Amino acid sequence: MLRTICGPILVVLLSVTVAAAQPVNRDGQGAKRAASGQRVTSAGKRLANEFSGKGPKIGDLLPDVTVYDADGKEFKLRQVKGHYTVIVSGCLT
Amino acid sequence: LETVCHDYAPKGVEFFYVYKALAHPETNGYVTPFTLAERLMQVKEAERRLGSKFTWLCDTMSNDLKHALGNAPNSEFVVDPEGKIVVRRLWSDPDQLRKDLASLVGAVDPPTPVSALHLNIVPPPKVAARGVVPRLKVPGPTKPLIIHPRESKTPYYAKLRAEVDEGYLKTGKGKLYIGFHMDPIYRVHWNNLAAPVHFELTPPRGVAITPTSGDGPKVKEPADIDPREFLLDIEGKEATQPIQLTVRYFACNDDEGWCRPVTQTYTIDLAVDPDGGWASARHRRPPSKGNRSGARGARPGRPGVRPPGGRGPAQLMARIRANDKNHDGKITRDEASPMLKRFFDRIDADRNGAITREEVREFIKNRGPSDSTPRP
């Protein structure tokens, strides 16, 4: 399956316009991609800069936010504990 | 990503998708929901189209989680058993995620191939004709405005999107885009046998908008789902009040067997909506003469000569074929670039581990004019 459910349009994904600016705290993948010659767009840079300065950091707890499950029942994000958990955000477009 | 879930869920790893505000409204016809119930309907739509095994969560309508997680459209986090974040990424990266989980809970070898999951990605619904009303050409970049639909007993089958161009934002004089988009989650279409869509708006004091009313085109097709779009002149930024807008239209749902007139009202703040997304499908450049693909940077009048980096089918084909490093006419997974690897299993229709020219052509043909098929 593909890398994102809410990223740029398919063609943009293939043209690697925004992926080049991906900052990855854990593995430094953004630098690796930039070094490979992929284009870094201004939109990608902006997103990367915004993301690097916002949101939780490594070692932080998840935000204390209540969202909903697929049936509309409240779901506290911080109840996610006791095992390793992957959280990916996305949408239909 | 589904294969990572398939391999690591048995090891006790839990997987969540957080469904959030649309990053690219209008792509495949999907539009920004107005209510939580509508966003939850989009979650169901995403589940239906993907057949994903992830557990879906839905962000609040004030986008609390999107903001709290740093506003990235496709971020990825791994949380340890104590609830602390151990991995964060701007963009989800399944290959790297698999490596991360291997280091945290042990490797799964061999990894499950996508073909083993028999995933069936369902195309978006098409309840009526599409492409019969030409899309409006909006010059230059635009920003979405904050809109407030008034309470309505009737669902907002057609949803307003309002944007202003950069000229307006910089100088107070520019263009106002008004678009009414049929929401595919309701499976409705325009009734072209009735009067076309009609809107009227009242600008606030200090703002001039021309014209202040408009009618959609008369369409020969009895039904379609194309947006009804208008480009208005707007001048004046000193408004303290919002724009008032009323729209009338006829909508039909063939499955449920009804057609009905709808009148709905909005207020539009002359302020940019930071969560409004970017309607990338609308801003794609139209085809130019001699370049049917409409690729960015292509030279009009020079068919067949298309510089790399464009976005049309020919450019896409060329970019994919450039992965064929040994020039044997096939692209194996080892030859594929990291980006192509993410699409590999969708293109490799016969699941034989190699992409042929015909499979690429079929993939491009089926992806549609603005395909962003949801992808877990």
Side-chain angles (χ1 to χ4, degrees), chain B residues 128-129 189-194 219-224 228 252:
Chain B
H189 61 75
W190 302 107
N191 178 7
N192 296 330
L193 302 176
V219 182
K220 287 182 180 176
E221 290 276 342
D224 76 284
R228 304 302 193 247
C252 299

Side-chain angles (χ1 to χ4, degrees), chain B residues 317-328:
Chain B
M317 171 69 90
R319 262 199 314 280
I320 293 174
R321 290 187 63 207
N323 288 267
D324 181 12
K325 296 184 178 70
N326 63 1
H327 307 290
D328 66 349

Side-chain angles (χ1 to χ4, degrees), chain B residues 225-239:
Chain B
I225 53 172
D226 289 330
R228 304 302 193 247
E229 301 172 299
F230 305 88
L231 197 59
L232 315 177
D233 293 314
I234 182 168
E235 184 170 6
K237 291 182 74 174
E238 303 307 318

Side-chain angles (χ1 to χ4, degrees), chain B residues 206-360:
Chain B
V207 175
I209 298 175
T210 308
T212 54
S213 65
D215 293 289
K218 290 181 179 174
V219 182
K220 287 182 180 176
E221 290 276 342
D224 76 284
I225 53 172
D226 289 330
R228 304 302 193 247
E229 301 172 299
F230 305 88
L231 197 59
L232 315 177
D233 293 314
I234 182 168
E235 184 170 6
K237 291 182 74 174
E238 303 307 318
T240 55
Q241 298 294 317
I243 299 169
Q244 309 284 332
L245 184 146
T246 299
V247 61
R248 291 196 295 273
Y249 60 95
F250 286 81
C252 299
N253 183 314
D254 293 344
D255 293 339
E256 298 174 6
W258 56 257
C259 282
R260 60 180 62 138
V262 181
T263 300
Q264 287 167 328
T265 57
Y266 297 84
T267 56
I268 306 168
D269 295 344
L270 284 168
V272 172
D273 182 354
D275 296 313
W278 181 55
S280 53
R282 174 157 29 95
H283 287 280
R284 199 170 308 153
R285 295 190 178 190
S288 56
K289 189 178 179 182
N291 171 30
R292 289 185 299 146
S293 67
R296 184 169 64 174
R299 298 179 188 180
R302 294 191 64 190
V305 181
R306 299 184 175 94
R311 296 179 178 183
Q315 285 74 16
L316 187 53
M317 171 69 90
R319 262 199 314 280
I320 293 174
R321 290 187 63 207
N323 288 267
D324 181 12
K325 296 184 178 70
N326 63 1
H327 307 290
D328 66 349
K330 299 175 187 172
I331 303 166
T332 62
R333 200 179 291 271
D334 288 341
E335 289 177 307
S337 66
M339 189 57 65
L340 181 58
K341 277 179 185 168
R342 304 181 196 289
F343 296 84
F344 197 94
D345 289 293
R346 281 186 67 194
I347 304 174
D348 181 21
D350 61 5
R351 312 287 194 218
N352 71 346
I355 294 173
T356 64
R357 184 188 181 95
E358 288 69 33
E359 286 172 328
V360 173

